[in-house]
Amino acid sequence: MQLILEIKNLQVAVEDTIIINDFNLEISAGELHVLMGPNGSGKSTLALTLMGHPRYQVKKGLIALNSQEITHISPDKRAKAGLFLSFQQPQEIPGVQVFNFLKEARRAITGNNEGVDEIYDELCDYMDLLGIDQRFAYRNLNDGFSGGEKKRFELLQLLMLKPKLVILDEIDSGLDIDALKSVAEGIQLAQEQNPDLSILLITHYQRILKHIKTPDYVHILQKGTLQQSGNYQLIEAIEQGGYEIFN
Ligand code: ADP
Ligand code: MG
């Protein structure tokens, strides 16, 4: 199986405090990996480091995507290489219209000069599938969106941008059951669209996993280090005993 993400001996600091240490992970094409861990264990730090957020300094180690080293390249180049991060807290960007944003992002990432109508038609199809009102195409990015709408919009971006690896940072947090279902359907749709899509799903709960395929691996992060890796049964153990079982 083709290796999509390779993280070797990663050490990450924020303002000179080491947050992630000695972190190793390999994700192959089409695999679903779940990353769990207590609040403050470094999950979002890892996600933002993979995307190249300038606040997070890689002190040691390397990150490779599809055999290309990306450890120190800019976020736009990482996106072009096939990486997509859905934020735990999506930003509101007044003045940037949803449709224009997606059109420009898609053109920048694919390098194709697709027609506006073609992109718009595809956008409308995905909006229907995700249960997003088509009028959202003309609203400003996340501006005044509810929590559930922001998360669905992250998936809309995922479907439009067609990455190789997607990192979903707590896409299920704060959602009611209907919003959770439509978010899970969006993930399934992205998998159907591209069976080789690799997913790193950061979550606290197994409830979203009831709606999508069984994870291939489950990893537990504690204090910035991988404590244990295993299968689905790890999640059940945590839901019963909490993270203390690893101490
Ligand atoms: P998680 O997503 O697992 O809840 P985070 O990655 O958000 O954890 O945070 C991990 C640790 O890094 C926490 O102790 C947090 O306080 C610290 N941290 C995260 N971002 C910053 C920052 N910008 N400045 C200082 N410390 C930070
Ligand atoms: Mg987080």
Side-chain angles (χ1 to χ4, degrees), residues 20-106:
I20 302 275
N21 203 13
D22 196 19
F23 187 94
N24 295 283
L25 182 67
E26 288 187 353
I27 302 183
S28 293
E31 285 179 348
L32 170 62
H33 289 237
V34 170
L35 180 68
M36 303 182 86
N39 285 328
S41 56
K43 303 182 298 297
S44 294
T45 300
L46 178 73
L48 291 162
T49 302
L50 294 178
M51 203 63 228
H53 192 297
R55 197 196 291 142
Y56 301 90
Q57 307 135 26
V58 175
K59 296 283 193 189
K60 284 188 200 163
L62 71 81
I63 306 164
L65 185 71
N66 211 13
S67 304
Q68 177 194 354
E69 192 182 340
I70 61 164
T71 320
H72 298 289
I73 68 174
S74 60
D76 60 308
K77 292 204 179 105
R78 295 176 198 227
K80 238 179 150 163
L83 188 60
F84 179 91
L85 168 65
S86 130
F87 292 102
Q88 184 170 0
Q89 279 147 347
Q91 293 291 310
E92 301 190 1
I93 312 182
V96 176
Q97 198 191 50
V98 165
F99 177 57
N100 278 332
F101 168 77
L102 287 171
K103 174 165 61 68
E104 293 310 321
R106 167 106 145 213

Side-chain angles (χ1 to χ4, degrees), residues 92-98 136-145:
E92 301 190 1
I93 312 182
V96 176
Q97 198 191 50
V98 165
F136 269 72
Y138 298 103
R139 287 179 56 176
N140 289 327
L141 217 59
N142 288 319
D143 194 8
F145 288 19

